[in-house]
Amino acid sequence: MAKPKPSLAKGTRDYTPSMMVRRYYIIDTIKETFQRYGFLPLETPSLENLSVLLGKYGEEGDQLLFRILNSGDFLKKTRADDFQKGYKHLSSKIAEKGLRYDLTVPFARFVVMHQHDLAMPFKRYQIQPVWRGDSPQRGRYREFYQCDADVVGTGSLLCEAEIILMINRVLQKLRLPPYTIKLNNRKILTGIAEQIGAKGKEGALCVAIDKLDKIGREGVTEELQTRGFTDTAIRQLAPIFDFQGTLTEKLTLLEDFLGDSTDGQQGLTELKQVFTYLEAYTGKPADQANLAFDVTLARGLSYYTGAIFEVKVHDTTIGSISGGGRYDNLTGAFGLPDVTGVGFSFGLDRIYDVMEEFALFPEHTETTTQLLFTNFDATAEKYLLPILEAVRAVGINAEIYPSAVKLDKQLKYANRKGVPYVVLVGSEEMATQTFTLKNMEARTQETVDLPTLITTVKEMR
């Protein structure tokens, strides 16, 4: 009987060596920017207790959590009637841990557990995988990497401005096509809920509006109706969906719409301060920073309380590649109240997909080995080993073919691996202390000494 062919779980994928080299190119670009702005690296476990994860992402987020069955006899804590009470009740009996849904909630847990060891404000970056039980589709995976940067312990809106600066710096270094950083404030959405007579229902409003890009205005209207919003309240939202004009015009219109809503006006004041800081940093109007004030931006996660961000690349069907916001009391869920924070995340996989779609990776991104030494025989092998180490010592990625086989096989290996230069050393080269340097792309070769060989290969980078 034939063994079944191996397969991948839906929503996951293997990363080939060429993909990994490109991914590290993106990661290194992001990491360099995070460090430039003073963030420290951090990692947390893939597994978290469900008590840490549940209740932090809203009802829909909780349903997308991957739960892990308890070890051994996972049914030992259940009784017959537990199976009649629904999956939520049953899952609490058979699963106590889950795969992390994002990096922010585990970060909040970390801050609480290590609060006495951290210098506040604490700035950290974290680049690790997360898991969500979404329906897989293009640009949406069940396992994917997030690249987070967060600041906790300060309410300064300088942090929001610097997040926008970091987003621009990374995306411009990656040469991404035109993109927009959408910005809003959850307090504004709270004020809107008040003004349409739905005070206290801002959470439901955010969940519905957050789906605007996916289900359209009619779909949002239907969802609001199912969530108990009256037809009058929904009609009053019309100006919000139709907001147009310059940044200044939008702010003026919104100031009138929010009326005497304390929360709404506070959110608007915070937004204006972020724009002021951006202008001070860059010397340019805020709307020249690839920035758009989008009053329909909601971000579905329930822990956001202030500024919210989202980044969309133009002319692609791939969703947002970055997002985040301010959270005033996320640590309060773990017994440490009133520690405000703000952060954002780059979606590594979506950035990769965009760069692949627009062919944005540099020409030699996939090349790890820059120089291959051929191996003719034991004498040549012994001669080349110290030279190989000397070449590596000056910063060139180099290797020697591990066995003395036909030259044609060694050259095919170099071609398949994308090695740009090959060194051939036989008895004549050893006698004259020279090297035959073969350019695999140009299909040319020349006799060079060691300094020239090193200079030629380095200039290729």
Side-chain angles (χ1 to χ4, degrees):
M1 182 176 177
K3 292 183 178 180
K5 292 183 178 180
S7 61
L8 287 171
K10 286 185 178 180
T12 67
R13 51 183 176 168
D14 290 321
Y15 300 113
T16 64
S18 62
M19 291 175 69
M20 284 305 304
V21 173
R22 289 181 165 193
R23 284 167 68 84
Y24 280 131
Y25 168 72
I26 299 171
I27 289 171
D28 289 345
T29 302
I30 293 172
K31 186 188 299 184
E32 187 271 337
T33 293
F34 287 166
Q35 292 175 347
R36 183 67 56 88
Y37 280 75
F39 289 79
L40 296 169
L42 176 70
E43 287 195 355
T44 58
S46 300
L47 306 182
E48 293 280 354
N49 291 322
L50 284 175
S51 58
V52 169
L53 301 175
L54 288 171
K56 313 303 187 306
Y57 306 107
E59 180 181 345
E60 293 191 8
D62 284 352
Q63 292 180 20
L64 299 180
L65 283 171
F66 277 110
R67 291 162 169 80
I68 299 172
L69 291 175
N70 294 335
S71 301
D73 181 7
F74 56 85
L75 293 176
K76 64 183 178 182
K77 294 183 179 180
T78 62
R79 299 182 306 182
D81 61 340
D82 290 325
F83 292 83
Q84 312 301 320
K85 296 179 180 179
Y87 77 93
K88 291 183 181 179
H89 173 80
L90 181 62
S91 68
S92 67
K93 298 280 187 175
I94 64 176
E96 297 172 354
K97 299 176 181 64
L99 294 174
R100 60 173 172 246
Y101 179 93
D102 72 352
L103 300 177
T104 308
V105 169
F107 171 57
R109 188 263 310 149
F110 171 88
V111 169
V112 174
M113 292 182 66
H114 298 268
Q115 57 185 286
H116 301 299
D117 304 320
L118 303 177
M120 292 290 186
F122 178 54
K123 304 173 75 170
R124 83 84 171 86
Y125 74 86
Q126 193 169 346
I127 300 175
Q128 288 186 276
V130 299
W131 294 267
R132 297 181 187 178
D134 262 333
S135 298
Q137 54 186 286
R138 184 168 181 264
R140 187 181 294 275
Y141 305 98
R142 287 177 170 171
E143 178 187 59
F144 56 96
Y145 268 71
Q146 289 188 332
C147 309
D148 276 29
D150 286 76
V151 187
V152 293
T154 175
S156 171
L157 296 173
L158 280 171
C159 300
E160 277 82 340
E162 291 206 332
I163 284 174
I164 294 168
L165 295 177
M166 286 194 289
I167 291 172
N168 273 321
R169 188 175 193 273
V170 167
L171 300 188
Q172 288 166 10
K173 286 176 75 70
L174 293 174
R175 301 185 301 114
L176 256 67
Y179 61 88
T180 298
I181 305 171
K182 296 182 178 181
L183 180 64
N184 196 11
N185 192 297
R186 271 290 180 87
K187 294 185 179 75
I188 290 174
L189 292 167
T190 298
I192 290 171
E194 290 178 12
Q195 294 305 103
I196 64 173
K199 186 175 182 178
K201 300 181 71 172
E202 56 271 10
L205 176 66
C206 289
V207 170
I209 290 181
D210 189 52
K211 300 177 182 178
L212 183 61
D213 287 346
K214 301 174 188 174
I215 62 178
R217 187 166 169 176
E218 289 186 7
V220 170
T221 297
E222 291 176 5
E223 173 137 355
L224 288 170
Q225 289 171 335
T226 63
R227 290 180 175 274
F229 286 78
T230 66
D231 291 341
T232 300
I234 294 171
R235 279 196 301 273
Q236 288 179 291
L237 279 175
I240 300 303
F241 291 114
D242 297 330
F243 253 32
Q244 298 294 331
T246 65
L247 177 60
T248 302
E249 289 169 341
K250 286 181 178 180
L251 293 173
T252 301
L253 286 168
L254 190 59
E255 192 169 358
D256 292 337
F257 184 92
L258 292 171
D260 59 359
S261 168
T262 302
D263 284 334
Q265 293 295 345
Q266 176 65 28
L268 197 57
T269 298
E270 292 177 5
L271 207 60
K272 291 176 180 178
Q273 183 61 59
V274 173
F275 296 147
T276 300
Y277 280 142
L278 279 173
E279 291 173 7
Y281 270 114
T282 65
K284 300 176 183 178
D287 54 6
Q288 291 185 22
N290 299 300
L291 195 65
F293 169 39
D294 185 353
V295 74
T296 65
L297 176 64
R299 301 289 297 167
L301 297 178
S302 61
Y303 54 65
Y304 291 126
T305 56
I308 42 180
F309 315 87
E310 192 165 271
V311 182
K312 294 285 184 71
V313 176
H314 302 181
D315 303 320
T316 180
T317 57
I318 293 172
S320 62
I321 62 170
S322 180
R326 180 167 287 277
Y327 41 89
D328 281 339
N329 196 30
L330 189 55
T331 58
F334 306 118
L336 182 63
D338 304 323
V339 178
T340 186
V342 62
F344 77 110
S345 176
F346 287 114
L348 173 61
D349 300 86
R350 287 189 175 182
I351 291 177
Y352 181 99
D353 290 346
V354 169
M355 293 186 67
E356 190 171 54
E357 178 180 343
F358 290 97
L360 296 176
F361 288 103
E363 183 178 354
H364 295 292
T365 306
E366 295 182 24
T367 301
T368 54
T369 300
Q370 300 165 282
L371 187 64
L372 173 70
F373 287 89
T374 56
N375 191 337
F376 286 160
D377 52 39
T379 302
E381 182 181 88
K382 183 178 180 180
Y383 176 81
L384 286 173
L385 293 183
I387 296 171
L388 173 60
E389 278 300 277
V391 167
R392 289 170 174 164
V394 296
I396 293 175
N397 299 339
E399 62 178 293
I400 186 171
Y401 198 83
S403 54
V405 298
K406 290 182 179 180
L407 178 60
D408 182 60
K409 185 174 182 179
Q410 299 185 49
L411 295 178
K412 284 182 178 178
Y413 170 80
N415 274 325
R416 291 198 65 177
K417 198 169 181 180
V419 180
Y421 287 102
V422 172
V423 172
L424 291 78
V425 175
S427 57
E428 183 177 338
E429 284 87 359
M430 284 187 283
T432 58
Q433 294 189 341
T434 59
F435 305 88
T436 298
L437 182 63
K438 188 175 183 66
N439 185 317
M440 298 299 288
E441 184 175 350
R443 297 181 181 275
T444 60
Q445 64 184 46
E446 58 181 327
T447 301
V448 298
D449 58 16
L450 184 57
T452 304
L453 182 152
I454 290 171
T455 300
T456 302
V457 176
K458 280 192 167 184
E459 286 177 350
M460 180 271 298
R461 289 185 288 183

